[in-house]
Amino acid sequence: PLMTGPFDIIGDIHGCAAELRLLLAKLGWQPVSVNSKPWGSESWQHPQGRKAVFVGDLVDRGPAILDVLTIVLNMTLQGHALSVCGNHDDKLARWLRGRTVKVTHGLDKSIAELQALPPPHRKAIAAFIESLPSHLILDNGKLVVAHAGLREEFHGSDSSQARSLCLYGETNGKTDDQGLPIRLDWAANYRGEAAVVYGHTPVESPQWRNNTVNIDTGAVRTIMMGSAPS
């Protein structure tokens, strides 16, 4: 909680490594090579010592999932980045551990890239994902980062309920016509003093409400529709 910024908080990447590199460069980060095994060598650091904070959902859907994992893991190991776990990350970790999961919502893209990796590499990826916290409390308690957001009463909690809310958000137990959970609008009633930064639900532009901001602007959806990244 005592860690202070400045932070560059980055939303749901979903395997979009090229767009991640463009964003990091635009924010002044510089690529560096590290000696990381079994990972690739790519990492990034900021000349002014800024830290990147990733809001989860590093994997699935996009074209370069292993590259994204490599970048984020190396940045994390070097102390240049923090990340929380997203629901897609959590599901991939369960698949990597050999558990039965439904191959839906882009998991097939991750499997296609990772299934050929040697078992130790797959275990290393699973262990990294499992090490990610459900949420982060930063800047002396003034900032909370959680993949799907988090009500104030759960800030700092390590309960299973808090973790579920962080990964999946609040739902009413029903699904829409596409089979997706119908989510409740937790931010509409948020009155906490800490700013909450989250993603999970794509929006056209960052959406500020009641000291919360959703920064999942759906970059991977733009790619999937064939549009050039902006």
Side-chain angles (χ1 to χ4, degrees):
L2 299 178
M3 185 178 293
T4 57
F7 301 111
D8 291 324
I9 307 178
I10 299 173
D12 310 41
I13 302 171
H14 280 301
C16 297
E19 289 70 24
L20 174 59
R21 295 181 183 110
L22 285 172
L23 177 59
L24 288 170
K26 188 173 184 178
L27 294 171
W29 289 73
Q30 298 173 350
V32 293
S33 180
V34 298
N35 183 15
S36 177
K37 295 180 180 180
W39 306 95
S41 61
E42 183 179 2
S43 186
W44 290 70
Q45 65 183 22
H46 200 284
Q48 297 174 351
R50 299 177 71 90
K51 287 190 181 293
V53 181
F54 296 99
V55 182
D57 277 6
L58 305 173
V59 304
D60 294 354
R61 293 188 173 138
I65 288 140
L66 187 55
D67 280 0
V68 168
L69 287 168
T70 295
I71 292 168
V72 174
L73 182 130
N74 284 336
M75 289 176 68
T76 301
L77 289 179
Q78 289 187 294
H80 302 317
L82 303 167
S83 182
V84 297
C85 190
N87 57 303
H88 283 261
D89 310 314
D90 180 70
K91 190 175 183 180
L92 175 62
R94 285 184 276 129
W95 177 82
L96 288 166
R97 293 297 192 188
R99 298 172 190 163
T100 301
V101 298
K102 292 183 179 180
V103 183
T104 55
H105 306 305
L107 178 58
D108 60 314
K109 299 287 188 181
S110 294
I111 291 174
E113 280 200 54
L114 304 183
Q115 63 183 352
L117 293 178
H121 293 202
R122 289 168 58 167
K123 289 179 181 178
I125 293 172
F128 169 63
I129 293 172
E130 290 163 354
S131 75
L132 300 177
S134 65
H135 63 292
L136 292 164
I137 301 177
L138 304 168
D139 198 20
N140 295 311
K142 299 175 184 176
L143 173 64
V144 173
V145 178
H147 175 63
L150 191 63
R151 297 201 311 264
E152 184 179 29
E153 58 264 37
F154 290 104
H155 292 180
S157 172
D158 60 358
S159 69
S160 59
Q161 185 179 3
R163 178 176 173 80
S164 178
L165 292 173
C166 288
L167 264 62
Y168 302 101
E170 300 191 44
T171 67
N172 63 5
K174 300 178 181 179
T175 57
D176 61 18
D177 54 6
Q178 296 181 336
L180 298 173
I182 297 176
R183 296 165 184 161
L184 301 179
D185 191 3
W186 70 274
N189 299 312
Y190 182 77
R191 298 294 184 270
E193 294 185 8
V196 179
V197 183
Y198 67 104
H200 190 53
T201 304
V203 290
E204 289 188 7
S205 59
Q207 187 176 84
W208 281 96
R209 284 190 309 155
N210 298 333
N211 208 23
T212 78
V213 59
N214 179 354
I215 62 169
D216 178 8
T217 52
V220 72
R221 295 172 184 265
T222 303
I223 294 170
M224 292 167 69
M225 291 187 293
S227 302
S230 58

